[in-house]
Amino acid sequence: MSQEFDLVVLGGGTGGYVAAIRASQLGMKVAIVEKEKLGGTCLHRGCIPSKALLRSAEVYATLKESDKFGVIAGEVGYDFSKIQDRKQGIIEQLHKGIQYLMKKGSITIFEGFGRVMGPSIFSPQAGAVRIEKENGDQEMIVPRFLLLATGSRPRTLPGLVIDGSYVVTSDEALQWEQLPESVVIVGGGVIGIEWASMLNDFGVAVTVVEYADRILPLEDEEVSKEMARLLKKRKVNIVTSAKVLPESLEKGEGRVMIQAETAGGVQSFEAQKILVSVGRQANVENLGLEATEIKVERGAVVVNEHFQTAESHIYAIGDVIGGLQLAHVASHEGILAVEHMAGQNPHPMDYTKVPKCTYSRPEVANVGLTEKEAKEKGFEVKVGKFSFKPLGKAIIYGENDGFVKVVVDAKTNDLLGVHMIGPHVTDMISEAGLARVLDATPWEIGTTIHPHPTLSEAFMEAALAVEGKAIHN
Ligand SMILES: Cc1cc2nc3c(=O)[nH]c(=O)nc-3n(C[C@H](O)[C@H](O)[C@H](O)COP(=O)(O)OP(=O)(O)OC[C@H]3O[C@@H](n4cnc5c(N)ncnc54)[C@H](O)[C@@H]3O)c2cc1C
């Protein structure tokens, strides 16, 4: 006998469990199939643990400078095992929260590996799910709608084998019992720069080797440049336009060495660990997709604007469809997909309104087009910029590096993009996201009264700066 559901969600990560809750709100009978733990990458190996470690690093870095605030902290140190315990405690607390929400929504959880079936005796159309349990038992469930939310895993460079000891990804690094003395980070994107900032704050010698000509290559160029300047000031070694040569890897005596081709010739980098952060790869394998009409292109499941695959009752969202692999993107896509299943007419996903954040010190955040992208798209561009240097609240915090930059269409005054680097900008970017959703002009942002003293004044001033009206510039 097989159980029937309105919706089965394959994968209980951020995208999957949020979609399940929304479906339950809409009156559907819902099940999630999860092979590990509810919460997925974000909760167990991504957003949450990395930010917990970053927060400990920030507290440590602040305490080392306590003198600056007139605070006498005495000898400052850290106990990495306690830091890891705190991180684990946060994960467990949030994991319990998700389990509670599943109960509240009467969502059935199946533990095991889910595989999608083609047309079979259980269902004339593809989409029944066979659950393979750890003890070897199998169970079949039949949904009216299926949502693929199987997420992603770390990618490596061809030939660069992750051994979990000398050469690791963020998955293994998050489990370190103690910190190494030195790390070479291959890849200077979001994850690489968060690790560089955090490890440097803990006193680890860090080298970042990046293939592109700048770190954070998807950010506005001025933001990348400012981040590189600030990290270099903290003695992080940054090497850009560098092609890592996996075949050069040598290990031994607690050290590991790798070479990279750079403009100045082949350079060698040596450290106790190599952390590979070169992107993520969608989990599309072994799902049984070949028994269906579902298409996989460039390693990701192909969907239309409603997140339907080529089998219109099977949807896919989150990291498994590629694109912007972010937790809030996965959950928003999940909500839209489920609302579409329920016959609603949800607004289409607009990826130019998605905030993207890097939780380094200082933080980086953006929404919309960079100045260069806007010009490439043919916009005549006006820019407003405001530095955190003179801002009261930033000076009070003792963190006044960075700036806010506003990119505007000179013809229509439409806000095309907002780019921030500085203290707490990952919290500030939501206002810019709302401004984009509401089609606010720089005039409207500039005339919105912002409380003083706050960091958010920098956004108001940057908007005013578009017309040369910033007060404190
Ligand atoms: C170090 C790191 C830091 C990050 N920081 C951030 C951040 O600060 N902010 C942000 O927005 N994003 C961040 N991300 C990205 C974020 O974690 C992902 O975008 C997000 O988790 C994607 O959600 P998802 O639901 O698509 O997939 P996942 O969270 O990966 O969940 C997929 C789930 O499916 C399960 N699964 C897979 N296959 C099967 C199967 N066949 N049967 C049953 N279950 C299956 C998996 O076990 C997993 O639980 C970070 C990622 C990493 C690695």
Side-chain angles (χ1 to χ4, degrees):
M1 265 296 283
S2 58
Q3 289 192 60
E4 293 185 3
F5 292 90
D6 295 319
L7 171 65
V8 168
V9 182
L10 191 54
T14 321
Y17 89 75
V18 169
I21 293 173
R22 182 72 191 113
S24 139
Q25 287 172 350
L26 289 166
M28 294 188 193
K29 185 183 173 198
V30 187
I32 294 181
V33 183
E34 171 54 57
K35 67 180 169 64
E36 287 171 33
K37 282 184 172 175
L38 288 174
T41 305
C42 176
L43 179 54
H44 301 282
R45 295 178 298 279
C47 328
I48 299 297
S50 60
K51 268 85 255 180
L53 296 185
L54 275 154
R55 173 70 179 137
S56 289
E58 185 191 28
V59 170
Y60 177 58
T62 308
L63 278 177
K64 278 196 292 185
E65 293 183 343
S66 64
D67 205 32
K68 194 166 104 175
F69 298 89
V71 174
I72 300 152
E75 202 184 319
V76 179
Y78 62 82
D79 177 340
F80 199 65
S81 66
K82 278 197 180 159
I83 289 174
Q84 286 285 31
D85 288 349
R86 176 175 187 272
K87 178 202 84 181
Q88 206 49 41
I90 294 168
I91 293 173
E92 277 157 28
Q93 184 181 340
L94 293 173
H95 186 231
K96 281 200 186 109
I98 299 176
Q99 287 171 316
Y100 161 76
L101 291 172
M102 295 299 103
K103 274 211 184 93
K104 189 175 159 219
S106 304
I107 295 162
T108 308
I109 308 298
F110 290 94
E111 289 175 9
F113 187 93
R115 212 179 292 271
V116 185
M117 307 294 292
S120 65
I121 47 160
F122 300 100
S123 163
Q125 57 179 3
V129 176
R130 190 175 71 214
I131 303 157
E132 296 160 10
K133 304 189 178 182
E134 244 179 38
N135 62 8
D137 287 356
Q138 291 195 356
E139 196 168 348
M140 188 70 79
I141 52 177
V142 181
R144 196 152 66 87
F145 293 105
L146 176 64
L147 180 65
L148 303 176
T150 51
S152 65
R153 60 187 185 279
R155 193 191 285 283
T156 184
L157 295 176
L160 188 55
V161 178
I162 307 297
D163 63 18
S165 167
Y166 286 99
V167 185
V168 300
T169 67
S170 55
D171 279 5
E172 294 83 22
L174 281 167
Q175 304 305 327
W176 278 339
E177 285 171 11
Q178 56 189 36
L179 286 174
E181 282 167 16
S182 53
V183 178
V184 170
I185 300 178
V186 176
V190 175
I191 293 178
I193 293 306
E194 286 185 358
W195 278 91
S197 173
M198 183 236 291
L199 292 171
N200 169 270
D201 272 343
F202 278 131
V204 176
V206 178
T207 296
V208 178
V209 185
E210 166 58 46
Y211 180 74
D213 60 357
R214 57 194 174 102
I215 56 165
L216 298 179
L218 301 181
E219 293 293 334
D220 189 272
E221 284 178 40
E222 286 188 79
V223 170
S224 293
K225 205 166 149 196
E226 177 71 347
M227 192 70 208
R229 184 184 75 80
L230 294 170
L231 285 177
K232 281 179 186 167
K233 210 166 113 186
R234 282 159 59 185
K235 306 269 180 288
V236 174
N237 181 22
I238 296 177
V239 186
T240 52
S241 303
K243 187 178 174 209
V244 165
L245 303 168
E247 63 281 9
S248 68
L249 186 80
E250 276 178 31
K251 305 176 205 174
E253 305 279 313
R255 309 288 296 172
V256 56
M257 193 279 295
I258 198 153
Q259 294 182 330
E261 258 172 35
T262 68
V266 173
Q267 279 192 48
S268 297
F269 304 98
E270 201 184 309
Q272 287 187 344
K273 306 273 182 197
I274 292 179
L275 171 59
V276 182
S277 55
V278 293
R280 312 233 347 135
Q281 142 177 19
N283 291 326
V284 292
E285 299 84 1
N286 305 321
L287 296 181
L289 300 186
E290 53 294 335
T292 71
E293 298 294 320
I294 297 171
K295 297 205 170 34
V296 173
E297 275 173 20
R298 288 191 293 277
V301 172
V302 179
V303 291
N304 66 14
E305 70 277 23
H306 303 301
F307 305 103
Q308 288 167 296
T309 66
E311 303 265 7
S312 61
H313 63 294
I314 305 183
Y315 291 60
I317 53 107
D319 281 10
V320 76
I321 62 167
L324 281 179
Q325 292 180 313
L326 293 168
H328 44 289
V329 170
S331 52
H332 200 79
E333 289 171 344
I335 289 169
L336 297 183
V338 162
E339 289 181 351
H340 189 261
M341 292 173 199
Q344 297 193 345
N345 189 19
H347 62 85
M349 183 83 186
D350 181 350
Y351 292 95
T352 71
K353 290 181 177 143
V354 173
K356 289 149 268 159
C357 300
T358 305
Y359 297 78
S360 44
R361 195 170 62 84
E363 294 182 341
V364 172
N366 78 69
V367 62
L369 300 177
T370 65
E371 184 178 351
K372 190 168 173 229
E373 284 166 349
K375 286 180 179 160
E376 281 167 0
K377 283 188 184 294
F379 289 104
E380 198 185 307
V381 163
K382 283 193 293 193
V383 167
K385 220 175 134 185
F386 189 79
S387 162
F388 280 106
K389 274 273 164 322
L391 196 78
K393 188 65 174 282
I395 297 171
I396 292 165
Y397 266 135
E399 288 177 43
N400 61 340
D401 285 316
F403 55 83
V404 174
K405 175 174 172 178
V406 170
V407 180
V408 175
D409 180 345
K411 285 194 184 137
T412 61
N413 264 338
D414 281 345
L415 185 64
L416 299 174
V418 179
H419 306 274
M420 302 180 170
I421 174 164
H424 298 279
V425 296
T426 61
D427 290 307
M428 276 167 58
I429 199 67
S430 297
E431 186 188 355
L434 182 64
R436 292 248 321 127
V437 169
L438 298 179
D439 277 336
T441 61
W443 181 85
E444 285 163 327
I445 299 161
T447 51
T448 302
I449 299 169
H450 285 66
H452 175 76
T454 59
L455 296 169
S456 68
E457 288 171 280
F459 183 40
M460 172 183 72
E461 292 267 25
L464 288 170
V466 174
E467 299 298 346
K469 291 184 193 159
I471 300 298
H472 296 91
N473 248 355

